[in-house]
Each structure stands twice: as C-alpha cells, then as structure tokens.
Amino acid sequence: MKLLFKTFVCSSFLFLSCSDKESIPNIELTTYSFDSESNSSLMFQDGESQEVMTSESRMYEISKVIRVKPIDNKTIEVANFAPIAIEDITITATIEVEGFHKPIKLFKIDKIRAHGKQEINYPFINNSPLFLNTSNQEVDLSVFKDTGIAPNNIAFDFTGDNEIIQKLKSLRKLKWMIKYHDFDTENNPDNNWAEDITAKDIRRFTGLMINLGVVFASDNFKNEFTNENIIGNDGTTALTENEKNEAYNIILNKPRYNCGKVVNVSGLGGGATFGLAEHVLRDYIRKETGFITAHEIGHTIGYNHSSNMTYPHEVDGVNTGISPVTTRIMNHFFESDLYPVTLENYYLASDFE
C-alpha cells in the first residue's frame, strides 16, 4: 500500500512535486539568551584589569566575532566581541571525529548583548541528543552525552539571516586574529605608546577593527585597489597587477594584529603591531579614518614611507595609493549605510562623547 500511495502522489503533480528526498526531521534546537545580568557577564568594562583584557584568552578571529570556545569536554564559552547586540544566531559545530562529516546546527541564540559572554553546557548533555547538520539530516550526538567532546575535536562558527550578521559574515575573507595589547608595560613617558590601554579604548577598537575589516574585505576595495597606481618600496616602480593582487591577499591573510593605543603620533604599525591614537578611536564611527588606518596597514605588510602603500603619491594633481582608496571606500560605506557598527547600534554612546 505504501508503494502504491507513493506512486500515486508522484503522478499527481498538480498537488505535490515528485521527490525521493525525505522531509526535514522536526527537531527543535535549544535557544539561549545572553542579554542581561542574569544570564551573562560583560567583557571590557571599566574597572576590569588590563591583564585580563589583554590576555591571550581574549584573542579572537575577526571572522568570528561571536566566539564559541571549549572550556572542557562538556562546557563551552559563548562571547560577543562586537560592541553591538546581535540577534537570531545559529551556532554550528564541526566535530572532528569519524562519522561526523558535516557541520551540525548546535543551538540558537535569541540575543547576545554587546561584549557579553557566558559559559554553558553542551545542549546534548541535558537536552535531546538529536540535531540537524547543515544539509538538514538528522544527527544523533548521544554518544557524547556522558563523555562530552574533547576541545581539540570540535570547532565552531555562527550564521544567521539578518542584516547585521550578513555584514559580519563578509569578514570571513579575513584571517586576522585580534589581540589588544599594552605596549608600554614600564609606563615609559618617553615613547609613543599610551601608558595603559583602557577598557574604553578596547571597546572602541573592537568596532573599528570590524568596520575596517569589512572595508578591506569588500569587492569595492579590491577592485579600486587593483586599479590604483601603487608604487613599491623603491619609490618609483609601479606594482604589476599580479603584485597588487599579492599585496591585497597579504592584507586579507594577515595572521594577527596586536592592537594598542599610541600618543604623540596618529598611528604606529609594523609586523603584527597596529597602534592608533585617541582621535582615530574617537572619530572612526562618524567619519572616514582611511589615511591613518590604511597607512599603518601598509606598514604591517612590509611597505615603507617611499611607497604609496603608506603616504600617498601625487600623480597629475591626484593623490594615489592605499590611503586614498581606503578613504573613498570608507566614504561610500558611510553614504550607503554599510558598516556593521554605527553610532545608532553601538552600546555605550558615552564612549564617543
């Protein structure tokens, strides 16, 4: 009877389309909220120790500002490294154990507040062990209910359909690991580093790195940069198209930025070091800061002051180089409301007063 019914349904194309695919299992994910003092704590708040704020434990991938990190076999930490609240998130997990080949939709977050974090048990420990993978196939995680999952056998990501998440997901092109750093541990007043980096500095830096990242990851920036007259370190020789593409890919694949605050100058950069002054941290959310930020990014990927990968070169009365390109794209982002972090959604308006 079942075979006959299936044949009838497949022939009745006016009512249903014929498919051998089974329907998606009805599995409801556990949903959490991390949006208040009762269900989460906050990072980078005034009074938190500099040692904690600049520790390796606070390092994160710019492409995963919603960071999920294993604490032990049964416990994970969920943290939001963006200075804005984010809603309607699905956390996926890739389990690097034989038999689990696709990412699994592990749980949902209704809302996580800006810089919020919380530790929770894996949802399969106390709830149903049934989940869906990203192909909507049922996955049974009951094998891990008692033992949990070894931290080195699992990796996480986040996804979602709303506009903010889509803007943040453009950062996937970047490999940057972000760490906030005190470059003046001796509090030497004779150098160009701030005596200390404050919670306010770091809060603003988190938004700056996101907004700067979406600029560099954009197709608009790539297209304008590869069409720009870029001069190398000898001060005269223009980079070929291949060399410009290589420079752009080095920016995307920069493995780490240690971000600190400078004084006396507008910025410092080189290697993993990326330092910016108070006026940049204060102004980036209102107006473009491309001249300074792009200049320092140029230094971090190996260019000197003879190249217009730092200071612009004037050609036929027009400034050329990475800074003018970045300035143009930043202005376009402001005009088109393309930034993820804005004055309207940043959670502490007093940081920019």
Side-chain angles (χ1 to χ4, degrees):
M1 291 295 293
K2 290 182 180 179
L3 179 60
L4 290 173
F5 178 73
K6 182 177 181 181
T7 302
F8 172 76
V9 170
C10 290
S11 63
S12 303
F13 60 88
L14 292 176
F15 300 99
L16 294 171
S17 62
C18 181
S19 174
D20 290 328
K21 294 182 180 179
E22 297 181 0
S23 61
I24 298 172
N26 184 21
I27 295 174
E28 187 172 348
L29 293 183
T30 303
T31 300
Y32 300 89
S33 289
F34 308 118
D35 59 353
S36 70
E37 289 296 321
S38 65
N39 57 34
S40 58
S41 59
L42 292 177
M43 304 179 289
F44 309 130
Q45 299 306 291
D46 297 337
E48 187 174 34
S49 75
Q50 181 178 263
E51 183 180 6
V52 170
M53 294 190 296
T54 60
S55 65
E56 293 285 326
S57 67
R58 289 284 177 88
M59 188 165 64
Y60 62 98
E61 298 173 67
I62 193 67
S63 62
K64 297 179 182 178
V65 294
I66 301 297
R67 187 191 72 180
V68 181
K69 181 178 74 172
I71 303 299
D72 54 38
N73 282 29
K74 295 186 177 182
T75 311
I76 55 178
E77 179 191 79
V78 184
N80 178 10
F81 284 87
I84 59 175
I86 304 175
E87 301 179 351
D88 300 326
I89 307 162
T90 298
I91 299 298
T92 62
T94 300
I95 301 175
E96 297 173 0
V97 175
E98 187 175 354
F100 298 92
H101 306 295
K102 294 182 178 180
I104 295 164
K105 301 174 191 176
L106 195 61
F107 61 91
K108 291 184 177 181
I109 301 172
D110 181 55
K111 181 178 181 179
I112 184 168
R113 55 185 176 156
H115 293 157
K117 71 181 181 73
Q118 182 64 297
E119 291 185 9
I120 61 172
N121 286 334
Y122 280 111
F124 53 78
I125 300 293
N126 300 318
N127 301 299
S128 169
L130 300 180
F131 298 82
L132 295 176
N133 64 23
T134 50
S135 296
N136 289 320
Q137 299 166 324
E138 184 177 299
V139 180
D140 188 343
L141 299 184
S142 58
V143 66
F144 302 113
K145 190 173 184 66
D146 295 326
T147 63
I149 301 174
N152 61 346
N153 285 338
I154 191 166
F156 302 92
D157 203 351
F158 74 97
T159 188
D161 296 325
N162 64 57
E163 183 179 5
I164 286 293
I165 291 179
Q166 292 307 304
K167 289 178 179 179
L168 293 174
K169 293 314 288 185
S170 70
L171 296 168
R172 282 185 170 182
K173 294 180 181 179
L174 304 175
K175 304 300 181 186
W176 305 351
M177 293 291 294
I178 307 298
K179 179 183 178 294
Y180 300 101
H181 206 75
D182 174 23
F183 286 98
D184 189 13
T185 57
E186 302 298 322
N187 288 344
N188 178 0
D190 297 325
N191 63 31
N192 290 327
W193 292 105
E195 305 302 298
D196 295 294
I197 188 168
T198 68
K200 179 180 177 179
D201 298 330
I202 293 175
R203 290 194 297 266
R204 294 180 299 178
F205 235 129
T206 62
L208 183 149
M209 295 306 288
I210 290 170
N211 284 0
L212 184 64
V214 297
V215 166
F216 283 126
S218 69
D219 290 338
N220 285 344
F221 179 88
K222 180 181 180 181
N223 292 337
E224 290 217 19
F225 178 75
T226 53
N227 287 323
E228 189 78 352
N229 181 29
I230 300 295
I231 304 300
N233 280 334
D234 65 0
T236 57
T237 306
L239 300 189
T240 66
E241 183 175 352
N242 286 339
E243 288 170 332
K244 286 187 286 187
N245 282 324
E246 182 180 357
Y248 177 69
N249 285 327
I250 292 172
I251 293 174
L252 296 186
N253 293 295
K254 185 73 180 175
R256 177 161 170 162
Y257 279 113
N258 294 326
C259 300
K261 186 177 182 181
V262 302
V263 293
N264 306 319
V265 294
S266 292
L268 290 172
T273 298
F274 187 55
L276 296 172
E278 166 67 19
H279 69 92
V280 181
L281 296 177
R282 182 194 64 224
D283 293 344
Y284 80 88
I285 206 162
R286 295 185 178 92
K287 60 185 181 182
E288 65 83 17
T289 52
F291 186 97
I292 297 164
T293 51
H295 176 109
E296 303 307 337
I297 292 292
H299 280 315
T300 68
I301 66 168
Y303 288 90
N304 61 32
H305 283 166
S306 296
S307 167
N308 65 356
M309 283 293 286
T310 56
Y311 287 117
H313 286 196
E314 187 175 308
V315 178
D316 297 328
V318 177
N319 281 335
T320 64
I322 190 173
S323 290
V325 169
T326 307
T327 293
R328 293 196 299 270
I329 302 304
M330 282 186 168
N331 281 328
H332 168 67
F333 269 60
F334 276 115
E335 293 163 2
S336 303
D337 192 26
L338 298 177
Y339 284 118
V341 180
T342 68
L343 269 178
E344 287 69 34
N345 63 15
Y346 185 97
Y347 74 126
L348 288 175
S350 60
D351 281 354
F352 296 98
E353 293 176 353

